[in-house]
Amino acid sequence: MNAWLSFLDVLAPPTCLACASLMLRSISVLCDPCASQIPKAARMVGHPSAVSACWSMGPYSGLLGSLVRNAKYKRSLLAADHLGHVLGEGLVGKVKVDAVVPVPTTFPRRLYRGFDQADRLAQGVSSCLSLEYRPILSRRGVSRQVGKDATGRRNLRPEAFSVRPMECPESILLVDDVKTTGATLNAAARQLKRHGVARIYAAVVAHC
């Protein structure tokens, strides 16, 4: 297998997901200089009222934001899965919950990308933390937060989400890619609380 991978690297040398520079090995998705810029641990950031605490790996303005955009707008499943691992490793020892729940995107965006980035992030987090993965939320409508001003973002209501007919855990970790105003996390958390979830925490790759 290693010989086969080395042969592929010669035919199509791997490039760094962040800076696109050529890499000598394909065992990582980032070159060493870019990988060194990724924080090792998540830190607490401001959180919306319906969430008890929120963790982020760092600011959206840096390398993390570049990787998020790679996943969302270049439809890079590799970037989404790598960020899920990064976020999961950054949360080790920081949060104790029953399950990890993704904050779903709208159906048109999921159809366009071929995947839901928050879903991939949540799977990576659940794997790293050895927690149950529970996609109990679904998104109603087609409106998205990107492009809206702060007032428009804050107007997102809990009814933008629905909870699938299954037993909800007592405590969960909501996972999304970016926290801007916190309105999306707040709306999702409020809807979950209506369905009996007692404690809700959140984690994002990056914050604005």
Side-chain angles (χ1 to χ4, degrees):
M1 178 62 74
N2 289 336
W4 174 243
L5 290 176
S6 297
F7 178 68
L8 288 178
D9 288 348
V10 172
L11 291 180
T15 57
C16 173
L17 278 178
C19 69
S21 63
L22 291 177
M23 299 191 300
L24 298 178
R25 300 170 298 162
S26 60
I27 60 174
S28 176
V29 298
L30 297 176
C31 64
D32 291 341
C34 287
S36 67
Q37 297 180 49
I38 301 293
K40 299 300 182 184
R43 64 183 181 88
M44 280 190 173
V45 293
H47 58 86
S49 59
V51 174
S52 297
C54 181
W55 289 268
S56 169
M57 292 303 297
Y60 182 75
S61 58
L63 179 64
L64 291 169
S66 176
L67 290 172
V68 168
R69 292 190 294 274
N70 200 319
K72 294 175 70 169
Y73 306 125
K74 294 184 179 180
R75 295 179 284 184
S76 173
L77 191 60
L78 192 61
D81 288 347
H82 181 69
L83 288 173
H85 177 77
V86 166
L87 183 56
E89 289 294 322
L91 289 167
V92 171
K94 294 184 178 295
V95 60
K96 184 176 182 180
V97 293
D98 298 320
V100 177
V101 176
V103 178
T105 190
T106 60
F107 176 74
R109 302 312 298 174
R110 188 168 66 250
L111 185 64
Y112 167 75
R113 293 186 187 118
F115 63 92
D116 185 328
Q117 73 278 2
D119 184 74
R120 304 298 297 197
L121 293 173
Q123 290 186 53
V125 170
S126 67
S127 177
C128 286
L129 300 182
S130 298
L131 291 171
E132 184 181 4
Y133 163 71
R134 293 286 296 275
I136 57 178
L137 280 174
S138 58
R139 189 74 172 260
R140 291 171 171 164
V142 297
S143 177
R144 59 191 184 124
Q145 294 288 76
V146 175
K148 293 182 179 179
D149 59 20
T151 300
R153 288 174 179 270
R154 293 190 184 97
N155 286 334
L156 190 68
R157 309 299 299 171
E159 290 75 21
F161 298 93
S162 60
V163 178
R164 294 188 173 94
M166 61 178 69
E167 184 179 355
C168 291
E170 183 177 346
S171 62
I172 66 163
L173 177 68
L174 276 176
V175 171
D176 205 356
D177 53 1
V178 180
K179 182 187 81 70
T180 304
T181 64
T184 302
L185 291 171
N186 204 47
R190 289 173 62 190
Q191 186 66 277
L192 286 165
K193 286 188 173 182
R194 291 177 180 178
H195 288 76
V197 180
R199 297 186 305 280
I200 299 175
Y201 304 90
V204 295
V205 173
H207 64 280
C208 296

